[in-house]
Coordinates of all heavy atoms in Angstrom, one line a residue:
V134 N -57.4 58.8 -2.6 CA -56.9 57.9 -3.6 C -57.6 56.6 -3.5 O -57.9 55.9 -4.5 CB -55.4 57.8 -3.4 CG1 -55.0 57.1 -2.1 CG2 -54.8 56.9 -4.6
F135 N -58.0 56.1 -2.2 CA -58.7 54.9 -2.0 C -60.2 55.1 -2.4 O -60.8 54.1 -2.8 CB -58.5 54.4 -0.6 CG -57.2 53.7 -0.3 CD1 -56.1 54.5 0.1 CD2 -57.0 52.4 -0.4 CE1 -54.9 53.9 0.3 CE2 -55.8 51.8 -0.2 CZ -54.7 52.6 0.2
V138 N -59.9 55.9 -6.6 CA -59.2 54.9 -7.3 C -59.4 53.6 -6.5 O -58.4 53.1 -5.9 CB -57.7 55.2 -7.6 CG1 -57.1 54.3 -8.6 CG2 -57.6 56.7 -8.1
T139 N -60.6 53.0 -6.6 CA -60.9 51.9 -5.7 C -60.1 50.7 -6.1 O -60.0 49.7 -5.3 CB -62.4 51.6 -5.8 OG1 -62.7 51.3 -7.2 CG2 -63.2 52.7 -5.3
E140 N -59.5 50.6 -7.3 CA -58.6 49.5 -7.6 C -57.4 49.3 -6.7 O -56.8 48.3 -6.7 CB -58.1 49.6 -9.1 CG -59.2 49.5 -10.1 CD -59.9 50.9 -10.4 OE1 -59.5 51.9 -9.7 OE2 -60.8 51.0 -11.3
V141 N -57.1 50.4 -6.0 CA -55.9 50.3 -5.0 C -56.2 49.2 -4.0 O -55.3 48.5 -3.5 CB -55.7 51.6 -4.4 CG1 -54.5 51.5 -3.4 CG2 -55.3 52.7 -5.4
F142 N -57.5 49.0 -3.6 CA -57.8 48.0 -2.7 C -57.5 46.6 -3.2 O -57.1 45.7 -2.5 CB -59.3 48.0 -2.4 CG -59.7 49.0 -1.3 CD1 -60.5 50.1 -1.7 CD2 -59.3 48.9 0.0 CE1 -60.9 51.1 -0.7 CE2 -59.7 49.8 0.9 CZ -60.4 50.9 0.6
I143 N -57.6 46.4 -4.5 CA -57.2 45.1 -5.1 C -55.7 44.9 -5.0 O -55.3 43.7 -4.9 CB -57.7 45.1 -6.6 CG1 -59.2 45.3 -6.7 CG2 -57.4 43.8 -7.3 CD1 -59.8 45.4 -8.1
L144 N -55.0 46.0 -5.1 CA -53.5 45.8 -4.9 C -53.1 45.4 -3.5 O -52.0 44.9 -3.4 CB -52.8 47.2 -5.3 CG -52.7 47.5 -6.8 CD1 -52.1 48.9 -6.9 CD2 -51.9 46.5 -7.5
V145 N -53.9 45.7 -2.5 CA -53.5 45.5 -1.1 C -53.1 44.0 -0.9 O -52.0 43.7 -0.5 CB -54.5 46.0 -0.1 CG1 -54.2 45.6 1.3 CG2 -54.6 47.5 -0.2
P146 N -54.1 43.0 -1.1 CA -53.7 41.6 -0.9 C -52.6 41.1 -1.8 O -51.8 40.3 -1.5 CB -55.0 40.9 -1.0 CG -56.1 41.9 -0.8 CD -55.5 43.1 -1.4
A204 N -55.2 44.4 -11.3 CA -56.1 45.4 -10.6 C -56.9 46.2 -11.5 O -58.1 46.4 -11.3 CB -55.2 46.3 -9.7
L222 N -51.3 55.3 -12.7 CA -51.1 55.5 -11.3 C -50.9 54.1 -10.6 O -50.0 54.0 -9.7 CB -52.3 56.3 -10.7 CG -52.3 56.3 -9.2 CD1 -51.2 57.1 -8.6 CD2 -53.7 56.9 -8.8
L223 N -51.8 53.2 -10.9 CA -51.7 51.9 -10.3 C -50.4 51.2 -10.6 O -49.8 50.5 -9.8 CB -52.9 51.0 -10.7 CG -54.2 51.4 -10.2 CD1 -55.3 50.6 -10.9 CD2 -54.3 51.2 -8.7
L276 N -47.3 51.5 -0.1 CA -48.4 51.6 -1.1 C -49.3 52.8 -0.9 O -49.6 53.6 -1.8 CB -49.2 50.3 -1.1 CG -50.4 50.3 -2.0 CD1 -50.0 50.5 -3.5 CD2 -51.3 49.1 -1.8
S280 N -49.0 55.9 -3.5 CA -50.2 56.1 -4.3 C -50.8 57.5 -4.0 O -51.3 58.2 -4.9 CB -51.2 55.0 -4.1 OG -51.6 55.0 -2.7

Side-chain angles (χ1 to χ4, degrees):
V134 64
F135 283 86
V138 189
T139 56
E140 293 86 355
V141 178
F142 278 113
I143 303 177
L144 284 177
V145 171
L222 169 66
L223 290 171
L276 176 62
S280 60

